[in-house]
Amino acid sequence: MRYRIFLCCGLFLAVLCAACHRGQKDIAPKPEAYFRIDLPEHQYERVDTTLPFTFEKSKEAKVSIQQQKDGSYWVDINYPKEDASFKFTYFHIPCADSLRNLIVQEERMVKFHYQKADDVEYDIIKDPDARLWGQIYHIKGKEVATPLQFWMTDSSSHFLRSTLYFNFTPNNDSLQPVIDYLCEDALHIVKTFEWK
């Protein structure tokens, strides 16, 4: 009798082990992946305020403007869904030396990112009919804090600089679709930009 009980228990355990092993596949780690990011279509509207310039911005973005005591302006173009913003700073240029100093300062700010950047690509802004000259910096790299910066001037009295910021510590690999989307908006701002 005991022999039959042990035999039944042994058979039951063997069937249970086989059933458990049969349904189990080899376990392998899953590759890293990122969440899908759905971005709205690009739609633009003109920003025309008391600023000494005008441009078209995304309809998704909100604009806030602060005039400083020294006559400069701080303009934020906020993207609430992407948790990002373009920070603009406008200066009136009192003399040619000031313009040179502002451009040198921009170069220093870009060079500050060289420690984290994999690459920096430059685009020249040149539109004599619109009195618009400048440079766009595409700063590539996983840990770069500001992936896009640009400055523009009329070479005599106006200077504007802008930087793209995220309101969190970015991982640019996973954010690349958002960065590309916002870069396209920045290029549209540059194309539609006019001094008053």
Side-chain angles (χ1 to χ4, degrees):
M1 182 75 144
R2 280 185 173 188
Y3 176 73
R4 287 185 183 172
I5 292 174
F6 283 120
L7 186 61
C8 287
C9 287
L11 188 59
F12 175 73
L13 286 174
V15 170
L16 184 63
C17 287
C20 290
H21 182 59
R22 185 183 228 180
Q24 188 176 26
K25 295 180 181 176
D26 291 338
I27 297 174
K30 295 187 180 211
E32 281 191 34
Y34 301 111
F35 292 109
R36 179 181 164 153
I37 301 172
D38 290 321
L39 297 165
E41 284 188 40
H42 293 281
Q43 295 180 336
Y44 300 102
E45 62 189 4
R46 183 148 293 278
V47 174
D48 194 4
T49 63
T50 58
L51 293 168
F53 53 87
T54 182
F55 58 91
E56 289 183 8
K57 65 142 187 93
S58 171
K59 287 186 175 181
E60 298 291 320
K62 310 293 182 214
V63 177
S64 64
I65 302 167
Q66 294 179 358
Q67 185 172 11
Q68 305 303 305
K69 292 179 182 178
D70 64 358
S72 64
Y73 288 92
W74 292 350
V75 180
D76 287 350
I77 301 176
N78 296 306
Y79 290 79
K81 290 180 184 174
E82 290 78 19
D83 206 11
S85 62
F86 285 103
K87 306 280 187 190
F88 286 77
T89 306
Y90 165 81
F91 300 100
H92 177 76
I93 303 170
C95 64
D97 285 340
S98 297
L99 176 58
R100 190 175 312 111
N101 292 337
L102 289 168
I103 293 171
V104 168
Q105 182 180 350
E106 288 304 309
E107 290 292 328
R108 282 186 193 138
M109 291 178 85
V110 171
K111 286 180 182 176
F112 177 75
H113 294 284
Y114 283 3
Q115 10 180 344
K116 297 281 185 181
D118 294 336
D119 189 22
V120 178
E121 295 176 3
Y122 300 87
D123 289 324
I124 303 295
I125 301 168
K126 184 178 179 183
D127 186 353
D129 294 335
R131 298 178 301 124
L132 195 63
W133 292 270
Q135 202 154 11
I136 302 172
Y137 307 94
H138 300 274
I139 305 170
K140 313 278 183 178
K142 184 177 180 177
E143 297 179 10
V144 171
T146 58
L148 180 77
Q149 296 182 21
F150 63 90
W151 60 267
M152 298 183 291
T153 183
D154 68 346
S155 78
S156 60
S157 56
H158 301 292
F159 186 86
L160 178 83
R161 69 172 312 275
S162 180
T163 304
L164 171 61
Y165 287 103
F166 288 94
N167 301 322
F168 52 89
T169 303
N171 175 351
N172 293 346
D173 285 350
S174 64
L175 284 177
Q176 197 58 50
V178 177
I179 292 169
D180 293 343
Y181 177 85
L182 296 174
C183 284
E184 191 172 330
D185 279 0
L187 293 176
H188 188 82
I189 289 170
V190 170
K191 286 177 188 173
T192 60
F193 193 91
E194 295 176 8
W195 302 111
K196 290 184 181 176

